[in-house]
Amino acid sequence: QKEVEQNSGPLSVPEGAIASLNCTYSDRGSQSFFWYRQYSGKSPELIMFIYSNGDKEDGRFTAQLNKASQYVSLLIRDSQPSDSATYLCAVNMNRDDKIIFGKGTRLHILP
Amino acid sequence: ETGVTQTPRHLVMGMTNKKSLKCEQHLGHNAMYWYKQSAKKPLELMFVYNFKEQTENNSVPSRFSPECPNSSHLFLHLHTLQPEDSALYLCASSQGQGASNQPQHFGDGTRLSIL
């Protein structure tokens, strides 16, 4: 199993709907989870991060953790065309103190 | 303005050239990173410096040579690169303490093309 896995997409979501992005991880001891947004030709931009002690909501974005099933989700409410980008999930690997990135999910918001 | 500045933004070089990439962070962080991003591949961690000490060398070929003179500056020296080294090279920084639990902030990257 890869350490951090994401569906590469593209995930197409109508404007105004909820976009749901998922990321699974292999290290049961992982404690920190990060979501980055990367527009084409640009560098990754941190959107949210959560620790293993709970979910977080920030504006239209919500990050949720399911420790039992070892996945983390990013929900984007009221999706806008400007949300169209690749979303990278990153997870700390507790066993060797590294952050590992997934390949990213391409999100396309349909106007 | 991301707080992490990389220069140059674009670089084209021949396989026999020597060049350097520069990264500077203005965030007061103590950990700095070099990543390689190729098309359709995940971000590949290359090097990590924590409080100026190299703590990670992810089996990177010796034609890539990092240098970290202080916590704010990071260089990547390049020599005799191969065409497969063409990629986006990203620098990032984070708080040094418990670095793997800290969010990383990325620069805009250097787009490198090897002829």
Side-chain angles (χ1 to χ4, degrees):
Chain A
Q1 180 191 4
K2 293 180 184 172
E3 293 179 295
V4 179
E5 288 199 73
Q6 295 181 258
N7 187 320
S8 61
L11 173 66
S12 295
V13 173
E15 183 176 356
I18 296 175
S20 177
L21 303 159
N22 291 324
C23 168
T24 59
Y25 59 95
S26 62
D27 185 352
R28 196 167 280 281
S30 293
Q31 298 174 325
S32 305
F33 308 88
F34 308 90
W35 282 102
Y36 290 84
R37 177 177 62 201
Q38 187 172 24
Y39 293 114
S40 180
K42 301 291 186 181
S43 63
E45 172 193 7
L46 181 70
I47 298 177
M48 294 188 72
F49 64 96
I50 57 173
Y51 296 121
S52 57
N53 58 352
D55 302 340
K56 184 191 281 188
E57 180 177 321
D58 183 2
R60 296 187 295 114
F61 298 92
T62 299
Q64 298 176 325
L65 175 64
N66 185 320
K67 289 183 73 174
S69 300
Q70 292 179 231
Y71 73 83
V72 58
S73 300
L74 178 70
L75 303 177
I76 307 175
R77 289 181 297 281
D78 188 23
S79 298
Q80 304 295 311
S82 58
D83 295 326
S84 297
T86 296
Y87 289 79
L88 304 175
C89 169
V91 179
N92 90 306
M93 295 291 131
N94 194 51
R95 57 175 174 255
D96 53 10
D97 198 31
K98 285 184 185 180
I99 290 180
I100 303 295
F101 283 81
K103 284 189 178 182
T105 298
R106 276 193 302 134
L107 175 66
H108 182 49
I109 305 301
L110 303 169
Chain B
E1 176 60 49
T2 65
V4 180
T5 303
Q6 289 187 244
T7 55
R9 295 292 309 277
H10 301 274
L11 179 61
V12 179
M13 57 188 285
M15 289 192 285
T16 58
N17 291 157
K18 288 184 181 182
K19 295 286 184 183
S20 296
L21 310 185
K22 179 182 175 182
C23 177
E24 182 176 359
Q25 60 94 2
H26 312 276
L27 300 170
H29 291 160
N30 286 300
M32 296 188 77
Y33 311 79
W34 279 118
Y35 287 90
K36 176 184 179 183
Q37 189 174 39
S38 305
K40 300 184 180 179
K41 286 187 176 182
L43 277 171
E44 299 174 54
L45 179 64
M46 301 175 71
F47 301 104
V48 181
Y49 278 82
N50 206 332
F51 292 90
K52 299 189 298 178
E53 298 296 320
Q54 189 181 123
T55 58
E56 184 79 31
N57 177 338
N58 209 19
S59 302
V60 180
S62 59
R63 57 186 183 268
F64 295 91
S65 174
E67 179 190 358
C68 187
N70 55 60
S71 293
S72 299
H73 294 85
L74 185 65
F75 296 89
L76 188 62
H77 304 300
L78 317 170
H79 64 98
T80 58
L81 295 191
Q82 303 300 308
E84 62 265 27
D85 297 323
S86 297
L88 180 67
Y89 288 83
L90 290 160
C91 173
S93 71
S94 74
Q95 294 292 344
Q97 210 64 29
S100 76
N101 288 309
Q102 303 295 333
Q104 296 178 14
H105 298 264
F106 286 85
D108 288 333
T110 295
R111 175 71 61 186
L112 176 65
S113 298
I114 306 300
L115 301 177

